[in-house]
Amino acid sequence: MMSSTHQLMALLSAFWVLTQYPVSVGPVMAVLAIVAVMVGALTPDLDQPTANVWRRVLGARALGNIFQSFSGGHRHFTHSVIGILVVGYALRWGIHHFLRPELIDEAMIIWRAYMIGYISHPIADTLTDNGVPWLWPLHIQIKVPPGPEELRVTTDSIVERVVVRGGVIISIVLIVRSHWDIFLNLFR
């Protein structure tokens, strides 16, 4: 899927989680959490030298090639259960070992938001015709729904751009509209 679709899916995921576990974090933390969700949604594609982040920074494409070599290629380590656990625990370890104790609670809010975005990425890619190697290093691509390729989404197809994004945007609007009080409370 394209980066904008991943970010919309991540936002939808975060909003759904918020409806299940309402919190009030204040305006600054709420904005930082939304940014963390968006960044998390893009992180798994750092294993691809053509990812948006690598194209926007001078000389970063070479770094993207190195990262791709380390991760085993696109949709390998960063899209697997092992990758999710390693990234999540490494960031959490860093928070607890490098931040002052009084900043840990706020950092963990950002970490949770980031991980929602990160986890939503391979879930969304599972819906594509390429699938995701959830059990990497085993070379098994998991695809939903199983069966004919025609039932899954092709990256940057009209189905992704219109049906998937449109459906996600409508879902976001419906969730926000039906839980408006929870979203207002987030910023208090």
Side-chain angles (χ1 to χ4, degrees), residues 22-83:
V23 294
S24 176
V25 295
V28 173
M29 285 302 295
V31 170
L32 289 174
I34 291 169
V35 170
V37 167
M38 296 299 171
V39 171
L42 299 179
T43 304
D45 277 345
L46 291 178
D47 65 2
Q48 183 177 350
T50 57
N52 272 339
V53 68
W54 300 130
R55 288 185 294 182
R56 296 178 191 274
V57 179
L58 184 63
R61 192 168 195 164
L63 188 59
N65 285 326
I66 293 168
F67 192 84
Q68 183 181 34
S69 299
F70 165 75
S71 70
H74 184 50
R75 288 193 186 171
H76 287 83
F77 172 77
T78 60
H79 286 67
S80 69
V81 172
I82 292 171

Side-chain angles (χ1 to χ4, degrees), residues 59-179:
R61 192 168 195 164
L63 188 59
N65 285 326
I66 293 168
F67 192 84
Q68 183 181 34
S69 299
F70 165 75
S71 70
H74 184 50
R75 288 193 186 171
H76 287 83
F77 172 77
T78 60
H79 286 67
S80 69
V81 172
I82 292 171
I84 292 168
L85 293 173
V86 167
V87 168
Y89 282 111
L91 291 173
R92 187 178 174 138
W93 182 87
I95 288 169
H96 286 283
H97 286 84
F98 295 113
L99 292 182
R100 295 186 314 227
E102 62 270 14
L103 299 175
I104 289 177
D105 288 342
E106 289 82 6
M108 290 305 295
I109 291 169
I110 301 303
W111 176 81
R112 286 182 194 98
Y114 173 86
M115 290 308 298
I116 290 169
Y118 191 106
I119 294 167
S120 75
H121 184 113
I123 291 172
D125 277 348
T126 303
L127 302 173
T128 66
D129 47 6
N130 292 324
V132 170
W134 283 98
L135 304 175
W136 181 88
L138 299 177
H139 297 288
I140 301 169
Q141 297 295 109
I142 297 174
K143 305 172 184 181
V144 174
E149 297 290 320
E150 295 79 28
L151 295 178
R152 291 185 288 278
V153 179
T154 300
T155 300
D156 203 27
S157 66
I158 192 76
V159 172
E160 178 185 350
R161 286 183 270 137
V162 175
V163 177
V164 174
R165 287 184 198 162
V168 171
I169 289 169
I170 289 168
S171 298
I172 290 170
V173 169
L174 292 174
I175 284 179
V176 170
R177 188 167 177 230
S178 63
H179 296 88

